[in-house]
Amino acid sequence: VTDILRYRPAADEYVWTFGGAAPVARIAPGTVLELFTEDCFAGRVRGTADLVSEVVEFPYVNPQTGPFHVDGAEPGDTLAVHFVSIEPARDWAASTTVPLFGALTSTHLTATLQEPLPEVVWIWQLDRAARLCRFEARFGDFTVDLPMDPMHGTVGVAPANLEVRSALVPDAHGGNMDSPEMRAGVTCYLGVNVPGGLLSLGDGHARQGEGETCGVAVECAMDTVVIVDLLKGRPCPWPRIESDTHLMTTGSARPLEDAFRIAQAELVHWLRDEYGLALLDAYQLVSQAVEAPLANVVDTNYTSVAKLRKEWLPGAAPMDGAHARLREQAASYRAAHL
Amino acid sequence: VTDILRYRPAADEYVWTFGGAAPVARIAPGTVLELFTEDCFAGRVRGTADLVSEVVEFPYVNPQTGPFHVDGAEPGDTLAVHFVSIEPARDWAASTTVPLFGALTSTHLTATLQEPLPEVVWIWQLDRAARLCRFEARFGDFTVDLPMDPMHGTVGVAPANLEVRSALVPDAHGGNMDSPEMRAGVTCYLGVNVPGGLLSLGDGHARQGEGETCGVAVECAMDTVVIVDLLKGRPCPWPRIESDTHLMTTGSARPLEDAFRIAQAELVHWLRDEYGLALLDAYQLVSQAVEAPLANVVDTNYTSVAKLRKEWLPGAAPMDGAHARLREQAASYRAAHL
Amino acid sequence: VTDILRYRPAADEYVWTFGGAAPVARIAPGTVLELFTEDCFAGRVRGTADLVSEVVEFPYVNPQTGPFHVDGAEPGDTLAVHFVSIEPARDWAASTTVPLFGALTSTHLTATLQEPLPEVVWIWQLDRAARLCRFEARFGDFTVDLPMDPMHGTVGVAPANLEVRSALVPDAHGGNMDSPEMRAGVTCYLGVNVPGGLLSLGDGHARQGEGETCGVAVECAMDTVVIVDLLKGRPCPWPRIESDTHLMTTGSARPLEDAFRIAQAELVHWLRDEYGLALLDAYQLVSQAVEAPLANVVDTNYTSVAKLRKEWLPGAAPMDGAHARLREQAASYRAAHL
Amino acid sequence: VTDILRYRPAADEYVWTFGGAAPVARIAPGTVLELFTEDCFAGRVRGTADLVSEVVEFPYVNPQTGPFHVDGAEPGDTLAVHFVSIEPARDWAASTTVPLFGALTSTHLTATLQEPLPEVVWIWQLDRAARLCRFEARFGDFTVDLPMDPMHGTVGVAPANLEVRSALVPDAHGGNMDSPEMRAGVTCYLGVNVPGGLLSLGDGHARQGEGETCGVAVECAMDTVVIVDLLKGRPCPWPRIESDTHLMTTGSARPLEDAFRIAQAELVHWLRDEYGLALLDAYQLVSQAVEAPLANVVDTNYTSVAKLRKEWLPGAAPMDGAHARLREQAASYRAAHL
């Protein structure tokens, strides 16, 4: 039988970092977590008058649900986090510009002497039945419905090197990668750095463009179900994602070419290590076959994804076959509970 | 009636730069060009023993077919280059590693004290009927067929600022952008910098991964048909691409985030200028709706593409409706000639 | 009377992070600290056979002496840390190459598929009387004496945003900036992020080139005296350094131009805020008068310094005159104790 | 006897590119050139009302004096350009902000949606007898005299790869490096890419901060004397500078760490090739001994300099002893003519 843990944090139970927080629960590998995640604004942006600079209390931004201590997880192991479902918990979502944050503005790191861009809030209406997100222009009457494509911007474990990182940061421990690929149906692999791993997630997006250009997606609270498994004795240097169709690797760094290099080198190494290709053959195959969707070009580190169709690879079940196994477990759970 | 010009350069008629070469022909706007382009190795890599460092004579690499002087083209105008068809001219293609070139090696610009990677050649078999490219491992017996998706890595005009640029360089004049989006069916917009524009193209790829990780795609000679139109009085600061479904902008720069910024800002400005959105509304919409496929992360400048579904935009015919018009002209040409 | 605190950590009393460690002492503003700092290898590299990859136990690298809780320090205040003296504690020092670390090699962030550079150790003899560091070639018989110029690579406070950072990281909290400017006679200003500030320092270098090219300086244990003062109600967003002759600002980020931008913008703002220049006048003056010595181009963030002669500025005593005051206090201390 | 050529271009005789222009004279190796160079604005900014965006006619900016064809120069050789004297030709100089240009603003490459900074002109008075440059604030009454330190921002040869580059661009051919190290008394080494080399120079600065933060130095016309020598059969991949005291290498690239890497690797290679150090010994010595003054962080490529004291090196006369020889020739010239 599968353990199922339902957890909806109280207002004062969110965490704001990866590492540095006591676990809210200890779970056995294979546990299903039924979670509520608040939006990145801690729910404080509810209308176009709610400017982030006024209503959000830094550093209490991007609240995470967790962390969960996975029994038996040790450094050198990997957590496999399968996203069973990610469903917007409200019928609206918010996006904004934030002063000195985003790709098309100067920032605290890309410093200039110019004035910041104006601060503007957009409230998006979500039609959950039709799976649509409605954009309404603030400075005109244009409206358009975009497909809903729910995802988690942030998922990760406690970092290595004795560090505690803000939930705004993506790095080798995962965190705020802001990749649209983190949608229902995929398995995310996260290398364990501390006993128990200490998994948290949050920052739901009803949808997001690749790169998250203005720095903020269609932000909304989520009802999310994940199954958490443990792969013993198998390291995972950078977060990986597996879908039914693709292998994906991630890299988070600056400048953006370094994020690209990490993700691509990780994919080459994955093909070498699990599919038996020689290093340079893997390099060649990746060069011609890879997709390279950007995740974010706005956070403390930028995140690049490398993505390869599994059908083009020799018949291996990577990562100990975790994805297929979790896919089945998810189907059973869905049959019983959804 | 449409002018049709067939041009297959002799071995000594290729050009190796954008700018700095006399036009091979003067053409009227609307002319159909039936072209042959040689591969980036000038056809000298024909087997796995043909190492680039031995058989290619630098700087005579990446030969271009052209340039074509478009009658009436003046600085401030834009060329619209519609790709009617791009067909591999041989049943094989070549790819290689090149010492100190590529994303996962140190290079002349990202200098290290390490030894270069080994130089290896892969010959890909092309099944043009089945539209497949066959990868054969060099260091094992793995083989896989990838879909053929022919494209031109290089298309551009003479640059601004009195410059002449190597055909290996992508920049605001186009050039070696190496984007898989440059496939048959799209229209590429290139701002004119000198009288006549001086359009050239080359560097055909039977297919290419996003980012062109090892620096070299599945390189092959091409039989290509383009229609070249002229948009008077309409500038285009960076190359744009329009397909039946998408608007695309490009940016080429280093570091990669600057290429991303250019492409994204260009798309925001396009929505503002041709679709009537306010600047910040355009920024928000792009942030949630954009795809950001990388083109190359290996050349002198890196190239990022921003891509937006036209169905999500108000009903405008951008760029004076050039794409629809050229699409029709291409259909007529195809009906008559293919 | 001045409080003097002498502190030499036991082997298990070093800390490896900024933030996240309990203070070893509470001190009043104005306290003189007589400290011992271990070298970045925790003293484990003592000969050319002691390879970092074998003798150092990650993440226990770059040990820090501290942290010290400064009474009354609150977020929004600034610590002024005056370096009275920095003296090598041994008559030798060590430097090495470290696999996948340094500016002229691929690294974990600038990932390539090449082999790492070989791991080599150099032991430098220090002639403390003559103030010389002797380089001896490992692969030949060349020897040269370079001037000793002792400095601390690492000095900082607990970071903002609830974070704990590895002692290998430089950022807005200071940390591993690796600037040769951090020598005896200067005052370093560090903005306080948490109550008490939590100051630590370590990573002594007998000397270092600008940029710390191979990633490792002439590393040695130090006997160091600092005076720690508190500037109430005065924020300091990024670490600053003041010498008798120069104002200096720092920025730590990637890519390196972002580190440069931060340091230069900080200097412009300093001139505007404390010397009464208009923003653009300050921009112009800095543009023509600044020196821009690099600190490190190898750590998790790169560090750039902007440096301006005080004699060229209107007669202000910046930072509440802290440097002049501490300079006097240091003279008294020296007269009494050295 | 030494050839002396005096050349003061007429208004229509300046060139705006490296490469692509016919030589104004053929000179023998060893020729003394007595040159006039116009300022980067082509002399059009003469008062605070002369905004660059209004008075300068792009791309006719940064006029160069030359090019000079050096008899016998072939690809694989190196030009040694010794700066005998660089003297401001007027008693004033100009600096400005330029919209979307400079380090502390968004630019055409680092694109944002913000408004550009205001355009402001500063006129600097030059006291050539006292060797002082007077800064006068535009928005207050602050005035300060900075030491005059005349230099050339731009010196270079025709580029490789069949290219023609704008005089605003620094790269392996030299060009607009904007390094304060290019002052009287140094010898600049430039690798020859085309027959005759085609040397030009311009862009005099009465002084400049390191990094040229706002993008524009204290710009003035110059009376400059150089001696041009030819080193046969000796390549020089990137520009080098030798002074009486230092070896210097340069790298020009983006991001800035790549410029740093090039300059540092060039210096390591120089020590290996001319001073007999093993590669890793050279790496270690450079790491501890180098100075790394930035040149520009504003141009199309950023330029970093690596600088090493010759007294710390084994007794070699690098570059065939060209600097010492040219120093002597300069002394003779000075004795006879100045």
Side-chain angles (χ1 to χ4, degrees):
Chain A
V1 300
T2 297
D3 288 341
I4 299 181
L5 176 64
R6 175 179 288 265
Y7 177 60
R8 183 187 174 109
D12 62 349
E13 290 177 331
Y14 289 100
V15 295
W16 314 91
T17 55
F18 286 88
V24 297
R26 299 177 70 104
I27 61 173
T31 297
V32 177
L33 296 175
E34 298 174 340
L35 304 174
F36 175 85
T37 63
E38 193 36 283
D39 68 31
C40 72
F41 308 117
R44 292 178 175 214
V45 176
R46 300 183 194 109
T48 56
D50 293 333
L51 303 187
V52 167
S53 63
E54 295 174 1
V55 302
V56 171
E57 192 183 349
F58 289 91
Y60 301 103
V61 61
N62 203 18
Q64 300 300 303
T65 297
F68 299 94
H69 176 111
V70 180
D71 289 336
E74 295 291 335
D77 301 339
T78 288
L79 296 189
V81 182
H82 182 72
F83 286 85
V84 179
S85 63
I86 305 174
E87 289 298 315
R90 300 183 184 120
D91 59 3
W92 59 271
S95 191
T96 71
T97 50
V98 176
L100 300 180
F101 183 65
L104 299 185
T105 170
S106 52
T107 68
H108 293 287
L109 296 180
T110 305
T112 81
L113 303 178
Q114 294 160 288
E115 290 297 309
L117 290 175
E119 202 171 345
V120 179
V121 177
W122 290 262
I123 299 296
W124 291 64
Q125 301 304 320
L126 307 183
D127 182 337
R128 289 177 285 184
R131 315 300 287 173
L132 292 172
C133 310
R134 172 156 295 190
F135 169 71
E136 295 179 36
R138 283 293 310 277
F139 307 103
D141 55 8
F142 176 63
T143 289
V144 65
D145 289 320
L146 303 186
M148 188 177 289
D149 187 9
M151 51 161 278
H152 276 282
T154 311
V155 54
V157 293
N161 299 324
L162 312 173
E163 289 202 317
V164 172
R165 303 305 309 271
S166 158
L168 293 171
V169 175
D171 209 323
H173 68 283
N176 195 26
M177 296 178 283
D178 284 321
S179 168
E181 305 293 343
M182 203 70 78
R183 57 172 66 90
V186 307
T187 303
C188 175
Y189 302 105
L190 296 161
V192 173
N193 301 300
V194 304
L198 298 180
L199 172 75
S200 312
L201 73 169
D203 193 24
H205 300 162
R207 70 168 285 120
Q208 181 203 305
E210 290 173 354
E212 205 186 14
T213 313
C214 78
V216 183
V218 183
E219 308 283 341
C220 64
M222 290 287 177
D223 291 307
T224 290
V225 179
V226 296
I227 309 176
V228 182
D229 207 353
L230 175 62
L231 312 183
K232 288 297 296 179
R234 166 179 281 287
C236 185
W238 286 86
R240 294 176 177 180
I241 303 171
E242 185 177 353
S243 71
D244 289 355
T245 54
H246 287 82
L247 299 185
M248 290 175 256
T249 49
T250 70
S252 295
R254 291 191 177 202
L256 184 55
E257 54 264 39
D258 271 2
F260 176 84
R261 286 177 179 123
I262 294 167
Q264 299 283 321
E266 281 286 293
L267 187 55
V268 169
H269 289 143
W270 199 353
L271 296 199
R272 181 193 60 185
D273 296 342
E274 294 225 55
Y275 291 87
L277 277 78
L279 186 77
L280 290 178
D281 279 332
Y283 190 24
Q284 173 65 204
L285 181 58
V286 164
S287 295
Q288 314 312 342
V290 77
E291 298 164 72
L294 293 172
N296 91 77
V297 192
V298 292
D299 293 323
T300 318
N301 291 311
Y302 304 140
T303 303
S304 176
V305 173
K307 189 174 171 180
L308 195 71
R309 285 198 172 275
K310 293 195 285 189
E311 66 185 283
W312 295 341
L313 296 172
M319 303 303 276
D320 304 339
H323 178 71
R325 198 168 60 241
L326 285 161
R327 208 61 171 126
E328 270 183 43
Q329 190 181 345
S332 304
Y333 168 84
R334 285 174 157 285
H337 297 87
L338 295 183
Chain B
V1 300
T2 296
D3 288 342
I4 298 181
L5 176 64
R6 176 179 288 264
Y7 177 61
R8 182 186 175 111
D12 62 349
E13 289 176 332
Y14 290 100
V15 294
W16 314 91
T17 55
F18 287 89
V24 296
R26 300 177 69 106
I27 61 173
T31 298
V32 177
L33 296 175
E34 297 173 343
L35 304 174
F36 175 84
T37 64
E38 193 36 282
D39 69 32
C40 70
F41 309 116
R44 293 178 174 213
V45 177
R46 301 184 193 111
T48 56
D50 294 334
L51 303 187
V52 168
S53 62
E54 296 173 0
V55 302
V56 171
E57 192 183 350
F58 289 91
Y60 302 102
V61 61
N62 203 17
Q64 300 299 305
T65 297
F68 298 95
H69 176 110
V70 180
D71 288 337
E74 294 291 335
D77 301 339
T78 288
L79 296 189
V81 181
H82 183 71
F83 286 85
V84 179
S85 62
I86 306 174
E87 290 297 315
R90 299 182 185 122
D91 60 3
W92 59 271
S95 190
T96 72
T97 50
V98 176
L100 300 180
F101 184 64
L104 299 185
T105 170
S106 53
T107 67
H108 294 286
L109 296 180
T110 305
T112 82
L113 303 178
Q114 294 159 289
E115 289 297 310
L117 290 176
E119 202 171 347
V120 179
V121 176
W122 290 261
I123 300 295
W124 291 65
Q125 301 304 321
L126 306 184
D127 183 336
R128 289 176 285 185
R131 315 299 288 171
L132 293 172
C133 310
R134 172 156 296 189
F135 169 72
E136 295 178 36
R138 283 293 310 278
F139 307 102
D141 55 7
F142 176 63
T143 289
V144 65
D145 290 320
L146 303 186
M148 187 177 290
D149 186 10
M151 51 162 279
H152 276 282
T154 310
V155 53
V157 293
N161 299 323
L162 313 172
E163 290 202 315
V164 172
R165 303 306 308 274
S166 157
L168 292 171
V169 176
D171 209 322
H173 68 283
N176 195 26
M177 296 178 283
D178 283 320
S179 169
E181 305 293 344
M182 203 70 78
R183 56 172 64 90
V186 308
T187 304
C188 175
Y189 301 105
L190 295 161
V192 173
N193 301 301
V194 305
L198 298 180
L199 172 75
S200 312
L201 73 169
D203 193 23
H205 300 163
R207 68 168 287 120
Q208 181 203 305
E210 290 173 355
E212 205 186 16
T213 312
C214 78
V216 183
V218 183
E219 308 283 343
C220 63
M222 291 287 177
D223 291 307
T224 290
V225 179
V226 296
I227 310 175
V228 182
D229 207 353
L230 176 62
L231 312 184
K232 288 296 295 178
R234 166 179 282 284
C236 184
W238 287 85
R240 295 176 176 179
I241 303 171
E242 186 177 353
S243 71
D244 290 355
T245 54
H246 287 83
L247 300 184
M248 289 174 257
T249 50
T250 70
S252 295
R254 289 190 178 204
L256 184 55
E257 55 262 38
D258 271 2
F260 175 85
R261 285 177 178 124
I262 293 166
Q264 298 284 321
E266 281 285 293
L267 186 55
V268 169
H269 289 142
W270 199 353
L271 297 200
R272 180 193 61 186
D273 295 343
E274 294 226 52
Y275 292 88
L277 275 79
L279 186 77
L280 290 178
D281 279 332
Y283 190 23
Q284 173 64 205
L285 181 58
V286 164
S287 295
Q288 314 312 342
V290 78
E291 295 163 75
L294 293 172
N296 92 76
V297 191
V298 292
D299 294 323
T300 318
N301 291 311
Y302 304 140
T303 303
S304 176
V305 173
K307 189 173 171 180
L308 194 71
R309 286 199 171 274
K310 293 195 283 189
E311 66 185 282
W312 295 341
L313 295 172
M319 303 303 276
D320 304 339
H323 178 72
R325 197 167 60 239
L326 286 161
R327 207 64 170 124
E328 270 183 43
Q329 189 181 346
S332 304
Y333 168 84
R334 286 173 156 286
H337 297 87
L338 296 183
Chain C
V1 299
T2 296
D3 287 341
I4 299 181
L5 176 65
R6 176 179 287 264
Y7 177 62
R8 183 186 174 108
D12 62 349
E13 289 177 331
Y14 289 99
V15 295
W16 313 92
T17 55
F18 287 88
V24 296
R26 300 177 70 104
I27 61 173
T31 297
V32 177
L33 296 176
E34 299 174 342
L35 304 174
F36 175 85
T37 64
E38 194 37 280
D39 69 31
C40 71
F41 309 116
R44 293 178 174 213
V45 177
R46 299 183 194 111
T48 56
D50 293 333
L51 303 188
V52 167
S53 63
E54 295 173 1
V55 303
V56 170
E57 192 183 350
F58 289 91
Y60 301 102
V61 61
N62 203 18
Q64 299 300 305
T65 296
F68 299 94
H69 176 110
V70 181
D71 289 336
E74 295 290 334
D77 301 340
T78 288
L79 295 189
V81 182
H82 182 71
F83 286 85
V84 179
S85 63
I86 305 175
E87 290 298 315
R90 300 183 184 122
D91 60 3
W92 59 272
S95 191
T96 72
T97 50
V98 176
L100 300 180
F101 183 65
L104 299 186
T105 170
S106 53
T107 67
H108 294 287
L109 296 180
T110 305
T112 81
L113 303 178
Q114 293 160 290
E115 289 298 308
L117 290 175
E119 201 171 347
V120 179
V121 176
W122 291 261
I123 300 295
W124 291 64
Q125 301 305 320
L126 306 184
D127 182 336
R128 289 175 286 184
R131 314 301 287 173
L132 292 172
C133 309
R134 173 157 294 190
F135 170 71
E136 295 178 36
R138 283 293 310 277
F139 307 101
D141 55 8
F142 176 63
T143 290
V144 65
D145 289 319
L146 304 186
M148 188 177 290
D149 187 10
M151 52 160 279
H152 276 282
T154 311
V155 53
V157 292
N161 299 323
L162 313 173
E163 289 202 316
V164 172
R165 303 305 307 275
S166 158
L168 293 172
V169 176
D171 209 322
H173 68 282
N176 196 27
M177 296 178 284
D178 283 320
S179 169
E181 305 293 344
M182 203 71 77
R183 57 171 65 89
V186 308
T187 303
C188 175
Y189 301 105
L190 296 161
V192 173
N193 301 300
V194 304
L198 299 180
L199 172 75
S200 313
L201 74 170
D203 193 23
H205 301 162
R207 70 168 286 119
Q208 181 203 304
E210 291 172 354
E212 205 187 14
T213 313
C214 79
V216 183
V218 184
E219 308 283 342
C220 63
M222 291 288 179
D223 291 308
T224 289
V225 179
V226 297
I227 309 175
V228 183
D229 207 353
L230 176 62
L231 311 183
K232 287 297 294 180
R234 164 178 282 285
C236 184
W238 286 86
R240 296 177 177 179
I241 302 171
E242 185 176 352
S243 71
D244 290 355
T245 54
H246 287 84
L247 299 184
M248 289 175 256
T249 50
T250 70
S252 296
R254 288 190 179 203
L256 183 54
E257 55 262 38
D258 271 2
F260 175 85
R261 285 176 179 126
I262 293 166
Q264 299 283 321
E266 281 285 293
L267 187 55
V268 169
H269 290 142
W270 199 353
L271 297 200
R272 181 193 60 187
D273 296 342
E274 295 225 55
Y275 291 88
L277 275 79
L279 186 78
L280 290 178
D281 280 332
Y283 190 25
Q284 173 64 204
L285 180 58
V286 164
S287 295
Q288 314 312 343
V290 78
E291 295 163 74
L294 293 172
N296 92 77
V297 191
V298 292
D299 294 322
T300 318
N301 290 311
Y302 304 140
T303 302
S304 176
V305 173
K307 190 173 169 179
L308 195 70
R309 284 198 172 275
K310 293 196 285 189
E311 67 185 282
W312 294 341
L313 296 172
M319 304 302 277
D320 304 339
H323 178 71
R325 197 167 61 239
L326 286 161
R327 207 63 170 123
E328 270 184 43
Q329 189 181 346
S332 303
Y333 168 84
R334 285 174 156 285
H337 296 86
L338 295 183
Chain D
V1 301
T2 297
D3 288 342
I4 298 180
L5 176 65
R6 175 179 288 264
Y7 177 62
R8 182 185 175 111
D12 62 349
E13 290 177 331
Y14 290 99
V15 294
W16 314 91
T17 55
F18 287 88
V24 296
R26 300 177 70 103
I27 61 173
T31 298
V32 177
L33 296 175
E34 299 173 340
L35 304 175
F36 175 85
T37 64
E38 192 38 281
D39 68 31
C40 71
F41 309 116
R44 293 179 174 213
V45 176
R46 299 182 194 111
T48 56
D50 294 333
L51 303 188
V52 168
S53 62
E54 295 174 0
V55 302
V56 171
E57 192 183 349
F58 289 90
Y60 301 103
V61 61
N62 203 19
Q64 299 300 304
T65 296
F68 298 94
H69 176 109
V70 181
D71 289 336
E74 294 292 333
D77 302 339
T78 288
L79 296 189
V81 182
H82 182 72
F83 286 85
V84 180
S85 63
I86 306 175
E87 290 297 315
R90 300 183 184 121
D91 60 2
W92 59 271
S95 190
T96 72
T97 50
V98 176
L100 300 180
F101 183 64
L104 299 185
T105 170
S106 52
T107 67
H108 293 287
L109 295 181
T110 305
T112 81
L113 302 178
Q114 294 160 289
E115 289 298 309
L117 290 176
E119 201 172 347
V120 179
V121 176
W122 291 262
I123 300 296
W124 291 64
Q125 301 304 320
L126 306 184
D127 182 337
R128 289 175 286 184
R131 314 301 286 173
L132 292 172
C133 310
R134 172 156 296 190
F135 169 72
E136 295 178 36
R138 283 293 310 278
F139 308 101
D141 55 8
F142 176 64
T143 290
V144 65
D145 289 320
L146 304 186
M148 187 177 290
D149 187 10
M151 52 161 278
H152 276 282
T154 310
V155 53
V157 293
N161 299 323
L162 313 172
E163 289 202 316
V164 173
R165 303 306 308 273
S166 158
L168 293 172
V169 175
D171 208 323
H173 68 282
N176 196 26
M177 297 178 282
D178 283 320
S179 168
E181 306 293 343
M182 203 71 77
R183 57 171 65 90
V186 307
T187 304
C188 175
Y189 301 105
L190 296 161
V192 173
N193 302 299
V194 305
L198 298 180
L199 172 75
S200 312
L201 72 169
D203 194 23
H205 300 162
R207 69 168 286 120
Q208 180 203 306
E210 290 173 355
E212 204 186 15
T213 313
C214 79
V216 184
V218 183
E219 309 283 342
C220 63
M222 291 287 177
D223 291 308
T224 289
V225 179
V226 297
I227 309 175
V228 183
D229 207 352
L230 175 63
L231 312 183
K232 287 297 295 178
R234 166 179 282 284
C236 186
W238 285 88
R240 294 176 177 180
I241 303 171
E242 186 177 352
S243 70
D244 290 354
T245 54
H246 287 83
L247 300 184
M248 289 175 257
T249 49
T250 70
S252 295
R254 290 190 178 204
L256 183 54
E257 55 263 39
D258 271 2
F260 175 85
R261 286 178 178 123
I262 293 166
Q264 299 283 321
E266 281 285 292
L267 186 56
V268 169
H269 289 143
W270 199 353
L271 297 199
R272 181 194 60 186
D273 295 344
E274 295 225 54
Y275 291 87
L277 276 78
L279 186 77
L280 291 178
D281 279 332
Y283 190 24
Q284 173 63 205
L285 181 58
V286 164
S287 296
Q288 313 313 343
V290 78
E291 296 164 75
L294 293 172
N296 91 76
V297 192
V298 293
D299 294 323
T300 318
N301 290 311
Y302 304 140
T303 302
S304 176
V305 173
K307 188 173 172 180
L308 195 71
R309 284 199 170 274
K310 293 195 284 188
E311 66 185 282
W312 296 340
L313 296 173
M319 304 303 276
D320 304 339
H323 178 71
R325 197 168 59 239
L326 286 161
R327 206 64 170 125
E328 270 183 44
Q329 190 182 346
S332 304
Y333 168 84
R334 284 175 158 286
H337 297 87
L338 295 183

